[in-house]
Amino acid sequence: MSAAYDPDTLAELAARDLQDQRIAEAESKCLRALSTDRHHRGALNVLGMVLHAQGRHEDAVRVFNALTQFEPRNAQYWGNLGTALRPTRRYDAALEAYDRALELGGVTPDLLYNIGVLHVDRNDYESACALFSRAVGLAPADAGLRLAFAQCCFDIMRNEEAVAILEDWPSFAGLTPQIIAGIAHLLVAMGETRRAQPAVARVLENARSGGPTSLRLVRLLERTNRLSEARDTLDRVKARPEISSADADLLLVEALLAQREGADEEACRLLSTVLKHHDDFLRRHHLLFPLAKSLDALGRYEEAYVALEEAHRSQVAFLITALGKQPTEGSPAIELARDGCDPGDIASWEDPGAPGVEDSPIFIVAFPRSGTTLLEQILDAHPLLRSMDETPFLKQALEDVRARGVRYPAELGKLSAAQLLEIRDRYWHHVRGKVELQPGQRLVDKNPLNMMRLPLIRRLFPHARTVLAVRHPCDTLLSCFQQQFRAPDLALICRDLPTLARNFRTAFDFWYAQLPLLKAATLELRYETLVADFAAEVRRLAEFLLLPWDKALLAPAERAPKAISARPVIRR
C-alpha cells in the first residue's frame, strides 16, 4: 500500500504533527488513516489527543472510550481517557480511569502528573503536590514536572518550596521555550527577580529571534513591563491556525494586556465574555478582580463594587475549599495585637553587640495599600540603598524567637546576646538569598504588616530606622477591598469593608500603644503630603534615615510589576 494511504504510516506522521503543534495536519492524517481502517488503534489514539488539544473534549472521551473497549488492558488508553474526562469535570470517572491505568501499567511520571493536574482542578492541592512530588522523584530532571510541582506549591503559598524545586533549572531536561517562559514567569511572580533573570534573558532572546510563541510568553512580557513586545507576541499567537479566538485563556491574556495599555473598555468586554462561560465559582475571582479594576477606571463604580463583592465571595470559597481557611479565623499578623510589651521587660533589654544604624535594615511598614511601594521605589533609587520584594523574613525571625520558648512580645528581654546574634544571622542569611548588597549599601525591608512586629524590630535591631506609611483610612480600606491579595490571611482580612475597618483599627491601636514604650526611631510619612510636596517630604525622609542627599531620590524608577494569577501547567 502507498505510504500516502498506509494507516500505520499516516498515524505515525500524525503523531509527529501533533508533537510539533500542527494540529490541523495531524487531524487530517488521522482521518485519512481511519478512512482506510476505521478501527486503527494508532490513528484513533492520535485523533483523541488531537480532539483534546482542540478543546473538543466530549469527542475525545468517545474516542478513548472506544479504544478502552477495543483493548481493555491497554494502560495508555485508560490514562488518555482520564485526561480527556478531566476538562468535562467528570472527576470521579477520570480517577477511575487513572486507577485502571495504574493497575495495568504501573506508576509512571506522566501518569502521576496527569492525576496531579486532576487534583488541582478539584482544588485538592495537597494531593496534587504529593503526586507531583512523586513524579519528580521518578524523573528528577524533567523540566515540565518540576514546573508543575513548583506552580502547585506557589498556588498554595508554599513559595520557598517552589523556589527550591526550580533551583538549578538550567540543568533540567526538556527545557522548551514555553517551559522556560513558565519558569521565568513563576520566579518573577514570587519576587525572585535575581533568580529569574537568566530565564527571562533566554525567553527574550528566543522571542526576538522569531522563536515559538505562547500565551505564557505574553504574560511574562506583560509582567516585566514589555508591553509592546507583549502585544506583538500576542498577535503572533492569535495568527496561529490552531488557536481559537474564543479560547478563554487567550481572552484573559488579551484583556489583561488591554488593561495595562489603558484600554479599559476593551478589557471589560473581553473579561465579561470569559465570565459568561466561566461557571467555576471557586476561580471566578481571577476574572472579577481585574474586571472591577477596569470598571472603576471607567467610572462605573456601582458595577465595580458588585464585581468586587462577588470576587471576594469566590476567593473566600476557594480558600475554604483548597486550603481549609475559614473566614472566622484571625490573621496571624493582626492577632499579634492581642498582647503588648511589658515595660519592665523592655527596661531589661541589653544587647551591646547590636548593629548600628548603618548596619541595620531600614524597615517600611504600614497597613497594606498605604503607599509603601512608592516609598520603596524612592529609597531604592539611592545608590547606598537596596530594596527587596516583600519577604517573610521578619515573620520567620519571630518564629525563631518563639522556638526558644520566649513569649512575644512580653518576654523579649529573655533573649541572650548570643540568641539575638543567631536570629539576626539567620535573617541576613535569608536576605543574601534574595539580594546582593554591595559594600556600604543598606537594606530596605518593606513589608506592610511588619508594623505588628515593631517590638521585634526594636529588639533585634535597636538602632534601625522604621518608616510608617500612612494614608487616609477611606482610601486605604477601599484600595485593600479592590486588591486581589494572594496571601490567604490578607485575602480574609480584606473580604469585606467592616472586617477591613476592624483590622485597620486594631493594627493602629497596637502601633500607637507600643510606640511610646519602645521609643523606636520611627518616622510617620503621610501619602497625601508626600504626593503634594514631594521634594520636601523626600528630603525629610533622607534626613531621618541619615542618608547623604542624592537627587536620584526625586526620580524613583517605576519598577512595580503587575500582580497576576498563575494557572496550572497543562501537559499533553
Side-chain angles (χ1 to χ4, degrees):
M1 182 180 292
S2 168
Y5 297 97
D6 177 53
D8 292 338
T9 302
L10 287 169
E12 184 178 332
L13 293 172
R16 293 178 189 173
D17 285 338
L18 178 62
Q19 186 174 9
D20 294 335
Q21 296 295 305
R22 295 193 295 269
I23 307 298
E25 291 89 337
E27 182 179 17
S28 175
K29 290 182 176 68
C30 288
L31 294 176
R32 284 163 55 195
L34 292 169
S35 69
T36 302
D37 179 357
R38 60 192 298 262
H39 293 152
H40 192 277
R41 309 296 194 262
L44 283 171
N45 191 43
V46 177
L47 179 62
M49 290 187 281
V50 166
L51 294 169
H52 178 73
Q54 292 172 329
R56 296 160 60 185
H57 303 300
E58 292 293 350
D59 291 337
V61 168
R62 282 190 284 272
V63 169
F64 289 124
N65 254 328
L67 283 168
T68 60
Q69 297 301 311
F70 294 148
E71 296 187 26
R73 299 196 61 78
N74 187 307
Q76 181 188 15
Y77 296 161
W78 284 105
N80 287 344
L81 175 60
T83 300
L85 283 164
R86 180 178 60 80
T88 71
R89 300 188 190 175
R90 301 207 288 274
Y91 298 135
D92 290 342
L95 283 173
E96 289 177 9
Y98 283 138
D99 285 344
R100 185 72 172 140
L102 287 170
E103 177 187 336
L104 293 169
V107 174
T108 66
D110 280 357
L111 187 52
L112 290 173
Y113 168 86
N114 284 317
I115 303 173
V117 172
L118 172 62
H119 283 298
V120 169
D121 284 358
R122 296 174 65 243
N123 295 300
D124 185 355
Y125 284 87
E126 291 298 332
S127 295
C129 276
L131 286 158
F132 291 142
S133 179
R134 287 180 64 193
V136 168
L138 293 174
D142 189 297
L145 293 177
R146 287 267 181 178
L147 177 56
F149 187 15
Q151 177 73 66
C152 191
C153 291
F154 170 77
D155 287 344
I156 54 175
M157 293 301 296
R158 286 159 51 175
N159 285 11
E160 286 190 15
E161 190 172 349
V163 171
I165 292 164
L166 296 178
E167 196 71 35
D168 297 324
W169 65 264
S171 66
F172 296 166
L175 280 170
T176 65
Q178 184 177 8
I179 288 176
I180 298 172
I183 292 171
H185 182 268
L186 192 54
L187 289 171
V188 170
M190 290 189 292
E192 297 290 336
T193 308
R194 188 172 65 173
R195 286 187 170 94
Q197 284 176 353
V200 172
R202 283 180 62 172
V203 170
L204 294 178
E205 180 182 359
N206 174 73
R208 288 164 183 165
S209 63
T213 59
S214 66
L215 291 178
R216 188 177 282 155
L217 173 58
V218 179
R219 296 295 297 273
L220 175 63
L221 292 168
E222 178 263 330
R223 173 87 197 205
T224 54
N225 297 316
R226 296 173 171 89
L227 300 187
S228 61
E229 291 178 74
R231 173 59 64 184
D232 291 342
T233 304
L234 179 60
D235 290 341
R236 289 168 58 197
V237 170
K238 291 169 66 177
R240 282 161 40 188
E242 74 273 14
I243 297 295
S244 168
S245 60
D247 180 82
D249 288 338
L250 172 65
L251 292 174
L252 175 58
V253 169
E254 192 165 12
L256 295 176
L257 183 55
Q259 190 174 73
R260 291 296 307 279
E261 294 169 335
D264 288 292
E265 285 282 6
E266 178 66 2
C268 283
R269 184 188 69 79
L270 293 166
L271 290 166
S272 298
T273 299
V274 180
L275 279 164
K276 286 178 183 177
H277 306 286
H278 195 288
D279 57 357
D280 183 356
F281 181 71
L282 299 186
R283 290 185 170 91
R284 278 176 69 86
H285 57 282
H286 292 307
L287 301 168
L288 288 163
F289 277 111
L291 174 62
K293 181 176 181 179
S294 282
L295 288 170
D296 179 69
L298 295 169
R300 295 158 61 179
Y301 304 123
E302 292 185 9
E303 294 174 77
Y305 190 81
V306 169
L308 285 169
E309 286 188 313
E310 184 183 351
H312 283 286
R313 289 196 300 270
S314 168
Q315 188 173 32
V316 169
F318 172 80
L319 294 173
I320 292 171
T321 303
L323 302 182
K325 289 285 185 180
Q326 297 296 328
T328 54
E329 294 180 22
S331 160
I334 299 298
E335 289 294 309
L336 294 175
R338 286 188 174 183
D339 302 303
C341 294
D342 180 348
D345 180 74
I346 294 174
S348 71
W349 288 5
E350 291 184 358
D351 187 9
V357 62
E358 293 187 351
D359 296 316
S360 300
I362 294 168
F363 293 97
I364 301 177
V365 302
F367 199 82
R369 309 299 295 170
S370 295
T372 55
T373 299
L374 175 59
L375 280 176
E376 179 190 29
Q377 292 171 357
I378 291 169
L379 295 179
D380 196 48
H382 196 290
L384 294 182
L385 301 181
R386 180 69 187 275
S387 70
M388 60 183 176
D389 290 297
E390 292 179 19
T391 65
F393 298 158
L394 204 60
K395 176 184 176 182
Q396 291 166 349
L398 178 53
E399 292 169 358
D400 289 343
V401 168
R402 285 174 165 163
R404 288 161 173 77
V406 173
R407 189 161 55 91
Y408 179 83
E411 296 180 345
L412 288 173
K414 289 186 176 181
L415 291 168
S416 67
Q419 288 174 322
L420 290 167
L421 178 61
E422 184 179 351
I423 295 170
R424 279 194 297 266
D425 284 347
R426 186 174 172 85
Y427 170 89
W428 285 115
H429 172 75
H430 289 310
V431 169
R432 285 191 293 272
K434 196 78 172 178
V435 296
E436 184 177 353
L437 294 176
Q438 299 301 316
Q441 277 190 322
R442 295 161 66 186
L443 175 72
V444 178
D445 186 338
K446 188 259 302 189
N447 194 320
L449 283 178
N450 275 344
M451 68 182 295
M452 310 304 297
R453 300 181 182 94
L454 182 64
L456 181 63
I457 293 173
R458 177 68 174 79
R459 186 68 176 112
L460 287 179
F461 300 101
H463 305 295
R465 298 296 169 112
T466 300
V467 181
L468 173 70
V470 180
R471 188 182 181 189
H472 192 288
C474 291
D475 289 330
T476 297
L477 297 184
L478 184 57
S479 183
C480 283
F481 186 62
Q482 293 174 308
Q483 189 74 9
Q484 182 181 359
F485 288 109
R486 284 198 66 254
D489 297 330
L490 272 178
L492 293 176
I493 285 174
C494 301
R495 66 184 181 270
D496 58 58
L497 289 174
T499 301
L500 258 170
R502 286 194 299 272
N503 285 296
F504 182 91
R505 173 68 182 268
T506 299
F508 277 96
D509 282 352
F510 175 80
W511 175 271
Y512 289 122
Q514 302 308 305
L515 188 58
L517 300 175
L518 294 166
K519 297 181 175 59
T522 62
L523 174 69
E524 187 171 303
L525 207 61
R526 294 188 172 273
Y527 176 79
E528 293 82 4
T529 307
L530 174 62
V531 172
D533 196 0
F534 187 76
E537 288 297 284
V538 170
R539 284 188 177 276
R540 186 165 73 95
L541 174 64
E543 290 171 4
F544 168 72
L545 298 176
L546 307 179
L547 283 172
W549 178 250
D550 193 300
K551 62 181 181 181
L553 290 169
L554 297 177
E558 295 185 7
R559 60 179 69 192
K562 181 181 184 293
I564 58 171
S565 60
R567 296 181 57 81
V569 180
I570 301 299
R571 184 186 183 93
R572 296 188 178 96

